Structure formats: C-alpha cells, structure tokens
C-alpha cells in the first residue's frame, strides 16, 4: 500500500527517509560487496528488480487497485537476503513513482520503510522461523507472504496516524481508523497474495 | 509497436508505464535534466514548506503549466496520470473527516470539522506535490536523472542496479502482456479461482523468464567484453543558462507569493 | 456441442469449396496503442494508429494469409479477431453479429476463434505437454474423459501423439510451436488464427507444420495467419490480404494479389535487393 | 591500436580479393551441451553432441554463411568462435594461434571477434541507445572523446544516427537488431559474427540491414553469419558452409555449394513442399 506523493507533511517525509536511510545504506554496502565477489549477481539482481516491478502489475482477482509487490520482495529476500532486497525494493518504488505515478518521491522514504524494509525483513524472518520450527512448506510460504503484506499495511496505517492524529482519539484512534478503512482492500489482498505465493512456488518446484 | 501494452491484467499500469517514459524522452526539455530537476526540487520545497491552502493550488498550477505549456507534455497524459492517486486521496481524506475515540471501553465515531480541514490541507499539498513529480517524470528521462545521481556520488553498485532494473522491466512487461493474453485466450480468467491460478502461472513464468534473461544477458554482454563493470557515457545535455536562471527564479517567486498570499488571506 | 459444430464446419468446408459464408469480419477498425505518444511526440517513421480503417472478411474453410511488413498492423488485427483488443471505432462480427465484449461473450468467441501466438513461450510454460494442452478444456469445465479425448486428438493433429508426458522444456522449437497449436485445437475452434506460424522454423520444420495444418484444413478448419514470407503465401494460402500501415491494400485470391507487383512494393514486401540481383541474371 | 588493426584489416580486405589469409579456424571441435542426457536416455531424433568433429576456416574479408536447420549446431559453433564456449576436444585458432581462455586472452579475442546474438535483448542493457553502444569502448578503458567518436561511427554504420538518446524499448525489433550490431562495432572488431541476423525481419528490414553490412564489408570487415535462408546465402554470401548434426557437410564458394542439391537435401534445407509445388508448375 503506497502513500501518495505529498500526502505526508515535510517533517514526516524527512523523518521516514532518515529512518530508511541506514537500512538502504547498509543494503547498498552489502550489494557492493556481493557484486565484487560475484559479478554475475549484478544481472540477476537487475532482472529480479524488473520481475518485482512487473509482478505488481499483475492484477489479483477481485481486488481493485491492488499492488502485489511484497510478494516479489518476499521472494527476493529469501533468495538474496533482506538487506539487498530492501535496496531492490527501494529502486522498484522509485520506478513506480516515476513511471506509474504510484507512490511518490517525498513519500519514497515512508513507502520504502513499510514495503521494502519491513516487507523483506518480515518475509525473511517468517520464512526462517517456519523452516526452523518445521512448519509445512506451503504454510510457511503462505504466512511469509500474507503476514508481511499485513505488516506493511499496519505500518502504513501507523505512518498515516502519526502524521494525522485523530482530534479525539489521538494517534491510537487514528491507527484504528486507518486500519479499518484500508482493511477493506488490504486484508483480502494479503490472503490472495499468500495463496498466490504458494501456487507460484509449487509451480516452480514442479518445473 | 514498442509501446504496445494494455490488455488483460493491468491495462492501466501497462499503458502509463510506456506513456510517461516515452514522453520523458521526447518532450522539449529532455536534454535539460539538471535545470528541470532543480526547478522541480524548488517547487517541491515550496509545496511542503509553505501553507498548503495557497501553496498547493499555486504549485499545482505552476508545475502543470510548466509541463504542458513549457515542455509540451500532452495534457491528456499529464492530467490523466493524476486520476489513479486520487483514489488514495479520496479514501484517506474520508478517514480524516471521521474521528475515532475510546470512551467507556468502546469505540466512538464522529464527524470532525478540524479533521475536514486537515484533509483539505493534506489533499491540496498532495495535489501540488503530485503535479511536481509528474512534471519531473514526464520531462526528465531515466538516463538524465541517473547522470545527476552519478554526479552526486551515489554508489556505482546502486546505479548499475537502477539501470538494469529499468531495462529489464520493459522487457519483462512485454512478456507479462504476452503471457496474460495467452492465458486469457484459453479462458484462464473465467472465474476467480481460475484467475488466481492463471495469475500464479504468469508470475511463475515471469520469474523463470527473469532468471533466463539474466543468464542470457550475462552471455550476451560477455561477448561485448563484460567482466564486472557496466560503464556507460552520460547522456548529452544541452547548455541552458536561461534554464538554470528560471529553475531558481520561478520556485523562489512561487514560494514568496505563497507566503505573502497566505498571510494576506490569513490562511 | 462444440465438437458437433466443429464437425459441421468440417462437412461444410468439404462440401463447398470457397467461397463459403463469412465467418468473421472486421469492419472499419481503428485502433491506437494505448499510451502511444501524441502525434507531435512521435519519432520519425512511427505511427500513432496501429489500425486505420481496416476491413477484412474471413470466409469459412479458407486459408487466408495476412501479408505485411513489421509494424503493418497484422498482429493487432489478429488480436481483434478473438476480442483480445477492442477497436476504438468500427466493429468485429462473428457470424454476422457484432462481438459481445462481456466476459461470457468473449469466452464464447474464443472457443470459436483460437489464437496462436508467434512466441510459443507465451503460451507454454510449466509441466508436461499434455497438462498444457488440457488447460483450455479444463477451464471450460469439461470432464476428465472429454478433456483426455480432446488432448489426445489435439496432440495427434500436430504430430505429437505419444509425447504428452514430456516436459515442455524438452521439446524443440518446432515442436513447441506445434504444441501451442495443440493447446488452441483442444478448444475445438472453427477458426485457427496463427501469428507468424513459420517464424524461426527451418524448411523441414515448416514442411512438418504445414502438413498438419493441411490435414486440419482438409477437415474443414478455417485458417488465418500472418506472415511476411511471400513464398509461403503463394504456395499455401487460398486468399491473401496485404496490410500496410494499418490498412488493407489488397485482398483476393492468392495468385492474383501476389502477382500485383505494385501492391507488394507499396507494402515493402519485395526486397529491392533480390530483385536487383535477379535482374543481373544471378 | 585496435583502430590501427581494424584499418589494416580494411586495407588487406580491399587489396586482396578472397582468398585472404585465414583469420579464424575451428579444428575438429567436439562439444556436448552440459546436462545433455546420456545417449541411452535420448528422445528419438535427439543428439548428445552439439558439435561432432567440426572444422571450419574463416578467411579475411570473406562473407561466410553458415547454413543449417534448427539444431544443426550453428549457434554452438559461433559461440566457440569468440571463446564463449570451450570445446571438449579440438581447438579454435585466431591468426593461427590456439585461443587463450584466460580472462585476458578472452578479452583480446572478443575485441577482434564480435558476436551478435539472434535476440538483441540478450545484449542490450543500458538506459539509452548511445549509452549502450558506449559500453564496449568504455569497458576497454578508452577515454570519453574516443568513445564518443566510436559511438557516433557505430550508430552511423547501422543507420541509427540521431537516435542515440532514445531508450532501447522505444526502438522497433529491426532497429534493436541493428543497435546490437552497433554495440559490437564499437569494439572495432576484425570479424563480425552474426547469429541469424535476418530472423524476424521483413524484406525491407533485411534490405536495410544488408545495406549496412555491405558498407562494412566494403571497408574490409569479415562477416560470418548463420541462417537457414537459402536466398540470403545465395545472394549475399561469398562462401557457404552447410552444417548438419554438428558436422560440416560442405564448404566452398556460395554458388557451388548451393547448387549441390544432395547436400541441401541431406541437411534438411530444401522444402519438399515448395519443390513439389514448383514441379507442378506453380
């Protein structure tokens, strides 16, 4: 779920950019290290970024205006690690802002935080945890994709609530409000993305 | 045709993907990345810093005129691209007009005039900022802003990634279109369950294609001497002293006007 | 029922040599690619409109070649024939009735008019050959028995019988092209629409493909295909339509159209090079 | 220095009509694709070896067509010519010396022998056309002035001058094919190796491409290309080598090889279909 261009006040836009910066900077360092050791990863990561972008243009059934790229980011974070995938996610968000007017430049920091960083770290953590606990693969995949989606949506609601606290209920009231409003699209979306990820992985394994 | 897109699955995205990018490469300002970027940064600072009730509409108007009249961006493309973000704007503005409180352990809802005012400010600011970003997106080609990032010493690894993502996303988008059409032609989207399965097929196929693309590009570039660097020339930029002057002057004037007007109107 | 119709088509096709009645018709189609730059922003040589007032009728039982250079609008027209694209103005008719672009209407049309893409990889992707061919029938909610029957018939029709259990990536390019056709045939269409069916095939691969298409045509299949190969059009099509810049320059019996040097030259279909060499007696 | 060599090649090419000295030579190459199934597990018609004792010499200034059906081993052989693939046995020689497969040796070879792939998207990666072409020279650590000169010359050589600022996805397929050639030319190679250069192009696109290749050849470029188009080989190549099942069936002057019906039939390059029709007087 993208926050549109200019929606956050300047202080918040800057604040979230500052919050994202260390993750992206460390990710870029890891990326540079990786490319030095393994030049082939350059083209692979480029293609994965393209894939993540295009995946968000696959419309899921019955959900309008959806955007499915935590799925792509989750995929990538299992393959390349969450740090590098945070960077790839940030690049994808940049292209979405510039080529599709989806998201924005001033909200790039906030969106990167909720989608690229939280998305890839949570998907990766759930994947690892499921693996460690010995959960069935399909269940792990479903949880990783859908929970990281839900986390993104919760963080976005929090970001909006911090910027626009409720006159009566304050920040907590605003969180409830935004969670409620966007639940209509985001909860079904998270579920269908979980299912989609399971189906995709099974197709790929059978290949 | 190279910009062919649309059809099953993401008509809107596919269309805009090609249209904004094509415009960025063909508009009157496509060789003036430096001044245009500065101009847009200045306008963006105005719309974020000045009182939004005045600065929002003012910056929206200036950015729109700059793009449509100055750079000759097709009006239909420019204003059409604003429709999608409007959906987000309306939904969250409605949320801002409603108040939610906790009383006696339960949720209490109400309508709020203060909330409506906040929504109005946020909406006008967002509209102004959106026009600025679109002005930038429609006038500065990717190679143009990448050259600016390179001069700003953004790490090489990140720029390589940006360049490769830019190239692959168009190649894979073409593949997405073909796959979705082929699935659609065999009734793959006849109902929601089939649609989910078909989307999964397309996604899995795209994933395999992206791996394959990387492997083939690796071999193709090796034939051109690729080992571990992807150096390219910066794009040719046109000299534009006047452009730099305008890029500074216009945002300064807009900012000043916004503060003065806002003071006069007491907004 | 579809099977029945298919057989009817077969008998009709056999009984009446062309001209048969019109099955599919494009009338005054105009289409601009969505997102095409405004005319002012076009690079030299680019057109905004992919189709500009294009009309073409496809008669039952015919083998119709759509000839034209790259970018002439061939694929765009083919994508209109089964409703994948919708014209900005003009209309497409199936059996005389305008195409119904509702989900249900399109499903009905696509069972009759099956489109095979130039790149088989757009159509084939994972699993085995038989699984892929069964995709269409299963989407039509046919039962396993009927689906199996159709899959076997479709594979036999393209000479891939007995290969159903092979994974798709083990097939050669020519086999993949035929596999994509089998996937379309499993819908039991009345019209087979092929985008550049011979592209990328060597002479032997073309021979094999045409052998199978011949057999389908003999059983009544109407075949529309795009190509820029004049030899193929001359030797295999009954009718030829020449497309250039989104317009039909000529349409008629293959030999008549292909002997019209002016039309071919206008459509950029004759190499000045080979002609020049030929004139030099080489 | 590379420039110098290129000019030498040019003068030699001009001065001595074929036969020039041998530039590039494949001697007794054997190659099996990694992961190819063992002979026992092969599907009928599949071969384990892509190249089976393949020898071929490329002389300076020649236009050599590699003719063969799909899967004959054409692309595999071309990939050996610039060291992308390394033979299991046999060797590739450049100017009489075995190829040095060290990183440095390969870099030197690939500057001389530029390979252009069939699918231009395999070789194009940058944001704009000019940027893409500049990759080769900059990668050779040439300076900006020399790189700019080479980019302009390479774009002019394929008729894409003035298009340098366009992104690659705004070019047509034919233009992208020529863009990939420009990327190779910017290395100033002595030999241009093209895999199916005319595949997917219409007659006009082929004419344009050959016009540019003609000009390059006139300036001394050696051109090796694979194709399964007999007309192209007859009208454009000086020499033809026929490949079948990883073996060179014949190699000699174009006209002589192409008039040998037995060889063409053995290589599956003649359509029984058109011949039959032709015999019927069509």
């Amino acid at each position: 779920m993208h926050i549109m261009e200019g929606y956050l006040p300047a202080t918040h836009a800057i604040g979230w950019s500052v919050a994202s910066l260390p993750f992206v900077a460390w990710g870029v360092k890891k990326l540079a290290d990786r490319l030095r050791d393994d030049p082939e990863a350059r083209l692979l990561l480029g293609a994965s970024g393209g894939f993540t972008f295009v995946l968000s243009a696959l419309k899921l059934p019955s959900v309008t205006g959806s955007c499915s790229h935590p799925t792509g980011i989750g995929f990538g974070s299992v393959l390349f690690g969450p740090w590098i995938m945070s960077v790839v996610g940030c690049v994808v968000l940049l292209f979405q802002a510039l080529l599709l007017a989806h998201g924005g430049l001033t909200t790039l920091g906030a969106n990167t935080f909720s989608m690229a960083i939280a998305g890839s770290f949570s998907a990766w953590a759930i994947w690892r945890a499921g693996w460690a606990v010995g959960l069935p693969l399909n269940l792990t995949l479903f949880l990783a994709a859908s929970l990281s989606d839900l986390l993104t949506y919760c963080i976005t609601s929090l970001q909006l609530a911090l910027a626009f606290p409720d006159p009566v209920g304050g920040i907590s009231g605003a969180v409830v409000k935004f969670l409620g409003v966007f639940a209509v699209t985001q909860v079904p979306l998270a579920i269908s993305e979980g299912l989609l990820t399971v189906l995709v992985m099974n197709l790929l394994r059978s290949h | 045709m190279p910009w062919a897109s649309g059809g099953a699955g993401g008509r809107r995205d596919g269309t805009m993907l090609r249209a904004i990018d094509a415009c960025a490469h063909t508009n009157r300002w496509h060789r003036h990345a430096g001044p245009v970027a500065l101009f847009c940064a200045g306008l963006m600072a105005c719309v974020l810093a000045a009182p939004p009730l005045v600065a929002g509409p003012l910056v929206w108007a200036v950015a729109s005129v700059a793009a449509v009249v100055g750079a000759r961006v097709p009006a239909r493309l420019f204003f059409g691209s604003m429709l999608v973000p409007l959906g987000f704007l309306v939904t969250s503005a409605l949320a801002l007009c409603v108040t939610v409180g906790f009383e006696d352990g339960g949720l209490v809802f109400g309508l709020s005039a203060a909330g409506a005012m906040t929504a109005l400010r946020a909406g006008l600011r967002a509209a102004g900022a959106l026009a600025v970003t679109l002005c930038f997106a429609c006038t500065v080609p990717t190679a143009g802003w990448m050259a600016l990032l390179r001069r700003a010493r953004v790490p090489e690894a990140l720029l390589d990634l940006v360049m490769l993502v830019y190239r692959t996303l168009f190649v894979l988008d073409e593949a997405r279109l073909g796959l979705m059409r082929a699935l659609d032609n065999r009734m793959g989207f006849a109902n929601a369950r089939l649609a989910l399965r078909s989307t999964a097929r397309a996604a899995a196929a795209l994933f395999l294609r992206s791996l394959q693309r990387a492997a083939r590009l690796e071999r193709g570039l090796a034939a051109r001497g690729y080992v571990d660097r992807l150096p390219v020339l910066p794009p040719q930029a046109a000299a534009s002293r006047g452009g730099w002057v305008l890029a500074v002057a216009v945002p300064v004037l807009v900012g000043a006007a916004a503060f003065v007007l806002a003071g006069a109107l007491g907004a | 029922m579809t099977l029945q119709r298919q057989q009817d088509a077969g008998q009709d096709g056999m009984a009446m040599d062309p001209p048969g009645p019109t099955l599919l018709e494009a009338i005054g189609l105009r289409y601009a690619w969505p997102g095409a730059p405004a005319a002012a922003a076009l690079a030299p040589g680019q057109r905004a409109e992919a189709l500009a007032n294009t009309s073409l009728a496809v008669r039952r039982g015919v083998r119709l070649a759509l000839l034209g250079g790259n970018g002439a609008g061939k694929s765009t027209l083919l994508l209109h024939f089964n409703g994948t694209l919708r014209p900005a103005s003009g209309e497409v008719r199936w059996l005389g009735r305008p195409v119904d672009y509702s989900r249900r209407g399109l499903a009905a049309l696509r069972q009759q008019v099956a489109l095979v893409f130039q790149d088989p990889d757009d159509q084939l992707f994972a699993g085995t050959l038989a699984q892929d061919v069964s995709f269409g029938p299963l989407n039509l909610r046919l039962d396993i028995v009927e689906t199996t029957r159709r899959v076997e018939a479709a594979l036999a029709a393209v000479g891939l019988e007995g290969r159903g259990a092979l994974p798709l990536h083990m097939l050669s390019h020519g086999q993949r092209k035929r596999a994509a056709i089998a996937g379309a045939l499993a819908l039991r269409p009345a019209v087979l629409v092929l985008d550049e069916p011979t592209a990328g095939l060597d002479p032997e691969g073309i021979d094999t493909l045409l052998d199978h298409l011949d057999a389908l045509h003999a059983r009544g299949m109407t075949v529309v295909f795009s190509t820029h190969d004049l030899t193929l059009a001359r030797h295999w099509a009954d009718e030829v339509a020449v497309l250039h810049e989104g317009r039909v320059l000529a349409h008629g019996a293959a030999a008549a159209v292909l002997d019209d040097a002016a039309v071919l030259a206008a459509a950029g279909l004759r190499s000045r090079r080979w002609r020049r060499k030929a004139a030099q007696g080489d």
Side-chain angles (χ1 to χ4, degrees), chain A residues 60-61 63 66-68 70-71 141-154 182-198, chain B residues 196:
Chain A
L60 285 177
V63 184
S66 72
C67 153
S68 54
T71 303
L141 283 169
F142 178 82
L143 291 177
S146 51
L147 291 182
S148 66
D149 248 28
L150 289 176
L151 182 69
T152 295
Y153 136 73
C154 291
F182 290 109
V184 181
T185 53
Q186 297 301 308
V187 173
L189 180 62
I191 295 169
S192 38
E193 288 208 7
L195 293 174
L196 182 74
T197 307
V198 172
Chain B
L196 187 66

Side-chain angles (χ1 to χ4, degrees), chain B residues 85 89 93 197 233:
Chain B
L89 202 58
R197 298 188 78 87
L233 278 184

